[in-house]
Amino acid sequence: MYIKILNKIYLGGKMTSLVFSSIWIGILILLFFLLVHINVNLKKKFKFSVRVIISTVLGFAVGIVFQSTLSMVNAEQVPEVIKNVTTAASLVGRGFTSLLKMIVIPLVGVSVYNSIINSKNNEDLRKLTQKSVIYYSVTVAISAIIGISIAMLFNLGVGMKLPEGMEAWTGKGEYKGLVDVIVSFIPSNIFKAMTETSVIGVVIFAVFLGFATNRVSLKNPEKIKPLKDVTAALFAVLTSVTTTIIKIIPYGVAALMFDLTASYGLEVFKNLVTYVIVMFSAMLIVVIMQSLNLAIHGISPIQYYKKAMAPLVLAFTTTSSMGTLPVTIETLEKGVGVSSGTANFTATLGTTIGMNACAGVFPGVVAVMIANMNGIAITPVFLITLVAVIVLGSFGMAGVPGTAYIAATVVLGGMGLPFDPVALILPIDSIIDMGRTMVNVNGAMTISTVVDKEMGTFSESILKEERTIEA
């Protein structure tokens, strides 16, 4: 009888997938309770941003340990074990991201509408739009130049070849041109735009609705007053819901980070080392550029990053600018000191245009890599054209999954470069995408802060407060 039990636990000297998976699911449950202890009992000892970082590091470390113990099961059972354990972790990770997606559309729609019906000068919206678009265009151009320069410095692509048998990458998605993209922003069916999480469509609808409400209010203010009261109450409730979701960020990022490292480990970094160095070096310089933009406007980057840590870590772990948007807006308003109107409008705009990393750094680096692989001369004309195509293409990324790949499709097609070599970087791109998303979100937050400062609605006192977005 004991032999039968041992056979169920061990198979050929290795632990069975069922037993191994069960042990690790038990470890994850213990990790969950550890996080509860840190975020509840040690709440006063550690600031929220610190607890988010601790949770991320724990998720990363436990995922690496899990990878190192996979030798305890037979090789053919490893995929099954990884699936079992990561599926268990996804209950928290995927559940958390679903909650974020749930609140995006109602929060943005009501926030923009509420800001417009309570604004005293519609001219401010025009200025806000102009400043936001200009800043996004300029920063994506600078980001592209940084990415191109670093790639050329490292001679990225020289000597690289596409291995025989590797499936060629033919581009993901389709870019239909700037006019079609702009037209697609306008929601022909607002309910469809909501279900498809078309944030720009919802914003456009909210803007039209807001202006119409203001016109009616001029003639019949008593008729509009109940609507304004209901909107204000609804905005307060949605803000409260967002705050509740923010409370579980530490659990969500820990689960997402564990899922990533448990699935891939550190092996993904061993190939394409030069590409990884180029991308992260370029993104680091872009972050420095974003920080200088703050400093030039008299905003302390140190104070800013103390407040911005939660959405940046969340962006890194979820790889979703859209999913991070509720936390981004909440942090800008209550932590950084950006006005509600600017936070909702400009930060939302940053999820669709001028993404510094996905639409700036990435296509620039990839274009240089492929040009070097194919022996194409990188002349001044080539570089000027490349930057121009990148900036124009950055306006056509809205609502399309895999933004970085669509940006690459636009740029490589516009430059007449082949798509196939992009297949080389796909195995490790999930790691790079984490950094790209964080830089995108930081770009949207810094531009929102700078624009708000120029609009004269920025609150220095909120930024200087010790209080952060607290769970």
Side-chain angles (χ1 to χ4, degrees):
M1 183 174 118
Y2 292 110
I3 295 176
K4 289 182 179 179
I5 294 175
L6 288 172
N7 284 335
K8 289 182 179 180
I9 298 176
Y10 294 98
L11 189 64
K14 299 281 187 177
M15 197 175 292
T16 62
S17 62
L18 178 61
V19 173
F20 187 83
S21 299
S22 299
I23 291 173
W24 266 100
I25 290 173
I27 292 173
L28 292 182
I29 292 173
L30 292 176
L31 176 64
F32 176 78
F33 283 111
L34 174 61
L35 291 175
V36 170
H37 172 67
I38 293 172
N39 289 280
V40 176
N41 298 330
L42 302 180
K43 183 177 180 179
K44 294 182 179 179
K45 188 175 182 179
F46 299 109
K47 291 182 179 180
F48 182 59
S49 58
V50 175
R51 300 200 304 270
V52 170
I53 294 173
I54 290 173
S55 301
T56 305
V57 172
L58 275 175
F60 178 86
V62 174
I64 295 300
V65 172
F66 169 77
Q67 270 280 326
S68 67
T69 60
L70 288 175
S71 59
M72 297 175 68
V73 297
N74 291 320
E76 62 271 14
Q77 292 183 320
V78 168
E80 181 185 351
V81 167
I82 292 176
K83 181 181 178 181
N84 291 339
V85 177
T86 55
T87 298
S90 71
L91 174 64
V92 176
R94 289 169 57 192
F96 172 64
T97 54
S98 294
L99 285 174
L100 287 170
K101 293 175 182 177
M102 173 191 74
I103 197 64
V104 168
I105 291 298
L107 176 66
V108 170
V110 173
S111 297
V112 171
Y113 177 68
N114 186 60
S115 297
I116 291 174
I117 64 175
N118 287 296
S119 65
K120 297 180 180 179
N121 185 5
N122 289 333
E123 181 67 17
D124 289 345
L125 183 60
R126 182 182 66 81
K127 291 180 180 179
L128 181 63
T129 303
Q130 288 178 346
K131 288 179 179 293
S132 299
V133 172
I134 289 172
Y135 268 112
Y136 278 121
S137 301
V138 171
T139 55
V140 82
I142 295 173
S143 299
I145 292 170
I146 291 171
I148 291 167
S149 301
I150 300 296
M152 292 177 64
L153 179 65
F154 280 82
N155 289 320
L156 183 64
V158 175
M160 291 175 62
K161 293 182 180 180
L162 195 66
E164 291 184 11
M166 177 175 281
E167 184 180 353
W169 182 78
T170 56
K172 297 185 178 182
E174 181 183 358
Y175 179 74
K176 298 179 180 179
L178 186 59
V179 173
D180 288 340
V181 169
I182 292 174
V183 172
S184 71
F185 288 164
I186 303 172
S188 58
N189 184 332
I190 186 57
F191 298 104
K192 183 179 179 183
M194 290 179 178
T195 57
E196 294 179 350
T197 321
S198 175
V199 177
I200 286 295
V202 172
V203 169
I204 290 174
F205 180 77
V207 169
F208 273 94
L209 201 63
F211 285 154
T213 301
N214 286 343
R215 283 197 298 271
V216 174
S217 181
L218 291 175
K219 299 178 181 178
N220 300 292
E222 70 285 348
K223 188 177 291 185
I224 295 300
K225 188 179 183 305
L227 178 60
K228 288 188 175 182
D229 292 340
V230 170
T231 302
L234 184 57
F235 177 66
V237 171
L238 288 173
T239 301
S240 179
V241 172
T242 303
T243 302
T244 302
I245 295 174
I246 287 174
K247 290 181 180 180
I248 60 175
I249 285 178
Y251 310 103
V253 296
L256 292 166
M257 183 58 77
F258 171 82
D259 193 355
L260 179 73
T261 52
S263 300
Y264 301 106
L266 296 176
E267 292 297 319
V268 290
F269 287 108
K270 291 184 178 180
N271 298 316
L272 298 172
V273 174
T274 303
Y275 170 72
V276 173
I277 293 173
V278 167
M279 281 299 299
F280 278 109
S281 297
M283 288 190 290
L284 176 61
I285 296 174
V286 169
V287 171
I288 293 173
M289 177 266 292
Q290 294 166 346
S291 303
L292 286 174
N293 196 9
L294 291 171
I296 290 170
H297 285 81
I299 300 167
S300 169
I302 295 175
Q303 291 178 330
Y304 163 81
Y305 283 112
K306 282 182 179 179
K307 301 295 184 74
M309 192 57 65
L312 294 183
V313 172
L314 183 60
F316 186 80
T317 53
T318 61
T319 66
S320 173
S321 299
M322 195 73 71
T324 309
L325 188 57
V327 183
T328 301
I329 293 172
E330 183 86 354
T331 302
L332 284 171
E333 289 183 23
K334 296 185 177 180
V336 179
V338 177
S339 66
S340 178
T342 304
N344 282 277
F345 182 81
T346 306
T348 300
L349 198 64
T351 64
T352 61
I353 71 169
M355 288 172 277
N356 290 177
C358 284
V361 173
F362 180 71
V365 168
V366 169
V368 170
M369 181 186 79
I370 293 176
N372 283 333
M373 287 178 67
N374 291 272
I376 298 172
I378 302 179
T379 62
V381 174
F382 177 92
L383 294 175
I384 293 171
T385 305
L386 178 57
V387 173
V389 171
I390 288 174
V391 173
L392 290 174
S394 70
F395 284 85
M397 303 296 110
V400 184
T403 302
Y405 294 112
I406 301 304
T409 304
V410 175
V411 172
L412 296 178
M415 298 298 295
L417 297 171
F419 296 107
D420 296 7
V422 180
L424 283 170
I425 63 177
L426 291 181
I428 62 166
D429 197 61
S430 60
I431 305 292
I432 304 298
D433 196 36
M434 298 171 76
R436 284 199 302 256
T437 309
M438 184 175 69
V439 174
N440 290 341
V441 170
N442 195 52
M445 291 183 70
T446 54
I447 289 175
S448 297
T449 305
V450 166
V451 168
D452 201 54
K453 184 72 181 288
E454 292 187 359
M455 294 288 291
T457 50
F458 181 72
S459 174
E460 293 276 0
S461 59
I462 293 178
L463 178 65
K464 293 178 180 178
E465 286 177 359
E466 286 297 321
R467 184 180 69 89
T468 58
I469 296 302
E470 190 55 68

